[in-house]
Amino acid sequence: MIHRIFNKLISPFCNPILLAFFISFIGFFQIFPAILSLNYKYFIYITLLCTLQSYLILLIYNILPNNIVNKIYIYIITFLILLMHAFTYICNSIFNYEFNIEIAGIISETNVAEILEFCRNYITPLLILKISIFILLSYILLYFIIKHSFNLKPTKYFVFYILVLILAIVSWCRYPSFINYTFLGQIHTFWYVFQRTPEIIKTLTIYDLTQIPEKPKNIIFIIGESHSKDHCSLYGYEKETNPRLEALNQIDTLLIFRNVTSPSNHTLEAFKFFMSTYSKYNSSTEWYSSPSIPEIANLLNYKTYWIANQNKRGFCDNIQSKFSDICHYQIYSHPFFEKWENKAYDEVILPKISEISLDKTPYKFLFISLMGQHVEFYRRYPPQFNHFKISDYNYLPGNQREVIAQYDNATLYNDYIISEIISYFKDEEAIIIYMPDHGVDLFAHDEYFGHGRKNIPESYLASIQIPFLIYATSKYRIRFPEKYLQLKQITSKPFNTDDVIYLIMNIMNVKFSTN
């Protein structure tokens, strides 16, 4: 009995060709670059970690009862490894960085429509061909190895096998983070992020807040999407992409903040920061247990609305839906991710906003989430806003002209949407805040456009520099002249939207009792 158990435990080493295949296969994107860069220390550690994972995979393969079951198992494992490699290769070739937990989180909380948009914009026929060839060659090689491999005697070199296992386990204990770049680490990452998004824990009571009774009757917080400050005529861009908002600026009613950045270049991460007191600089509490804007507004007796031209949920619950669930009313143009294509323009939510503006409830707080300038840009505006033409951009490289024209048209349409929302409240006592979740890289570094790439400074900077606007109606300015003057005096100061919750609390005349 003991002899049989020993033979099974040693069995992965008895097929050295199959073991070597999986070691090099699992560590394909780590082992070979380490060799080429002459980083031998990393090469040794990552090879030992891949050996440990290969050992575990082949141990199960050898334990399974019959040839059919274990062959199905090994081909499924191979498919999963190939899937992780595909994600890694796409991240490397498009975004120029490794697959990580942030990317896995974005995948888990996205929806079918966004995946289709991503594929249309970034997955080229050449990329598909490369991945397909890699998959085909991997399966052909695996098939021949299984068919023609040989087994060594279990007792031969068993001391060496045990020594290798011990070294692999020691390597894992010494550098546990290295495993994140290999197969089991990536599988664990997906398992972790695909768990249910935590419910927001309401931690505040009215006694945790110190408030002045005077507060504005209407607060409207408009959250845009992928809005580049560099393509706003309000900020000096040569194309007139903000004609309606510029008209408001001419009569000195629009506050334009000049030096604002987003805390993240991805929507879901950005929402964690700007919707609550959660901060990247203070990790003492998680985002879901940090006080949030909707929670505070509810405690101050605002009737809260979440209005979105978005899907409420992706493959998993997402962070936005958790904040929206705190509000009294949630209105989504597409409640669930099953909607394959979100072809609705942002104007689809305008009638509901107009209706709410006529509600005589004393205090209202509206959170409005737009599709804005989300990729794909040409899908974000109706035909009548196709104002900018490719011929208007002859000074740009040929492959950039169409993209930039479409983006500027989407920005022009966004200008219309924001102006319409302002018009619904212009005769009321209201303050309206507009900011996007993040910006976008539009050929800032090379021929790439999309979410900024963190390891390329020009790309990342372009994706976090954002427009930030506040419109205060005449009734608000009359009732809160000091507050308005205070806002007017800080428009040139550096500001990160990580702190927007405190700005909004200041507008609501409330602060935390303890701090």
Side-chain angles (χ1 to χ4, degrees), residues 102-278:
E102 185 178 326
I103 298 296
I106 292 166
I107 293 169
S108 73
E109 299 194 1
T110 192
N111 53 64
V112 177
E114 290 186 346
I115 288 175
L116 291 174
E117 288 179 3
F118 176 85
C119 290
R120 283 193 293 261
N121 281 274
Y122 298 112
I123 307 300
T124 64
L126 180 60
L127 188 63
I128 294 171
L129 179 63
K130 288 179 180 178
I131 293 173
S132 300
I133 290 172
F134 184 73
I135 291 171
L136 181 62
L137 291 177
S138 299
Y139 272 114
I140 290 172
L141 186 58
L142 178 62
Y143 172 78
F144 278 101
I145 288 173
I146 291 174
K147 189 172 182 179
H148 299 290
S149 61
F150 61 90
N151 290 322
L152 299 173
K153 289 182 180 180
T155 54
K156 196 172 185 179
Y157 310 120
F158 80 92
V159 174
F160 173 72
Y161 304 153
I162 292 170
L163 180 61
V164 169
L165 272 179
I166 291 170
L167 287 173
I169 293 168
V170 169
S171 297
W172 183 20
C173 296
R174 179 72 177 85
Y175 294 104
S177 63
F178 282 7
I179 205 167
N180 294 332
Y181 302 107
T182 59
F183 172 61
L184 291 182
Q186 291 171 332
I187 290 292
H188 176 264
T189 297
F190 266 111
W191 175 83
Y192 176 78
V193 300
F194 268 85
Q195 295 181 78
R196 184 176 176 83
T197 304
E199 298 293 334
I200 291 178
I201 301 168
K202 297 179 183 178
T203 58
L204 291 178
T205 68
I206 193 64
Y207 303 106
D208 296 314
L209 302 173
T210 301
Q211 70 175 114
I212 298 169
E214 298 287 313
K215 62 184 182 230
K217 291 182 178 178
N218 296 282
I219 300 175
I220 298 90
F221 185 22
I222 308 172
I223 304 162
E225 168 72 47
S226 302
H227 195 163
S228 170
K229 175 182 171 182
D230 293 336
H231 285 256
C232 294
S233 52
L234 280 170
Y235 290 86
Y237 182 53
E238 59 191 24
K239 297 287 191 290
E240 196 176 1
T241 53
N242 306 121
R244 294 170 179 81
L245 292 174
E246 284 191 271
L248 291 175
N249 188 43
Q250 292 297 321
I251 55 175
D252 200 31
T253 57
L254 188 69
L255 300 180
I256 303 170
F257 288 70
R258 301 284 174 182
N259 195 3
V260 180
T261 53
S262 169
S264 175
N265 61 331
H266 287 288
T267 299
L268 300 173
E269 282 297 305
F271 263 82
K272 287 181 185 179
F273 296 119
F274 68 68
M275 287 297 295
S276 71
T277 59
Y278 177 69

Side-chain angles (χ1 to χ4, degrees), residues 14-152:
C14 296
N15 193 334
I17 296 177
L18 189 59
L19 181 64
F21 168 79
F22 273 101
I23 291 170
S24 57
F25 187 43
I26 289 172
F28 186 83
F29 283 101
Q30 285 77 38
I31 291 174
F32 297 110
I35 294 171
L36 294 173
S37 63
L38 304 180
N39 189 346
Y40 297 120
K41 182 179 178 181
Y42 180 73
F43 164 73
I44 291 169
Y45 281 117
I46 207 72
T47 301
L48 285 169
L49 287 175
C50 292
T51 301
L52 180 61
Q53 294 174 61
S54 302
Y55 168 82
L56 294 172
I57 289 169
L58 294 180
L59 181 63
I60 296 170
Y61 171 72
N62 291 327
I63 290 173
L64 289 172
N66 60 64
N67 286 336
I68 295 175
V69 173
N70 63 19
K71 279 186 173 61
I72 292 171
Y73 159 78
I74 208 70
Y75 284 121
I76 289 173
I77 289 294
T78 301
F79 171 77
L80 292 175
I81 295 171
L82 287 166
L83 188 63
M84 295 302 106
H85 283 343
F87 283 130
T88 300
Y89 183 69
I90 289 169
C91 287
N92 277 322
S93 60
I94 297 175
F95 302 114
N96 204 29
Y97 53 74
E98 294 285 340
F99 172 84
N100 54 36
I101 193 168
E102 185 178 326
I103 298 296
I106 292 166
I107 293 169
S108 73
E109 299 194 1
T110 192
N111 53 64
V112 177
E114 290 186 346
I115 288 175
L116 291 174
E117 288 179 3
F118 176 85
C119 290
R120 283 193 293 261
N121 281 274
Y122 298 112
I123 307 300
T124 64
L126 180 60
L127 188 63
I128 294 171
L129 179 63
K130 288 179 180 178
I131 293 173
S132 300
I133 290 172
F134 184 73
I135 291 171
L136 181 62
L137 291 177
S138 299
Y139 272 114
I140 290 172
L141 186 58
L142 178 62
Y143 172 78
F144 278 101
I145 288 173
I146 291 174
K147 189 172 182 179
H148 299 290
S149 61
F150 61 90
N151 290 322
L152 299 173

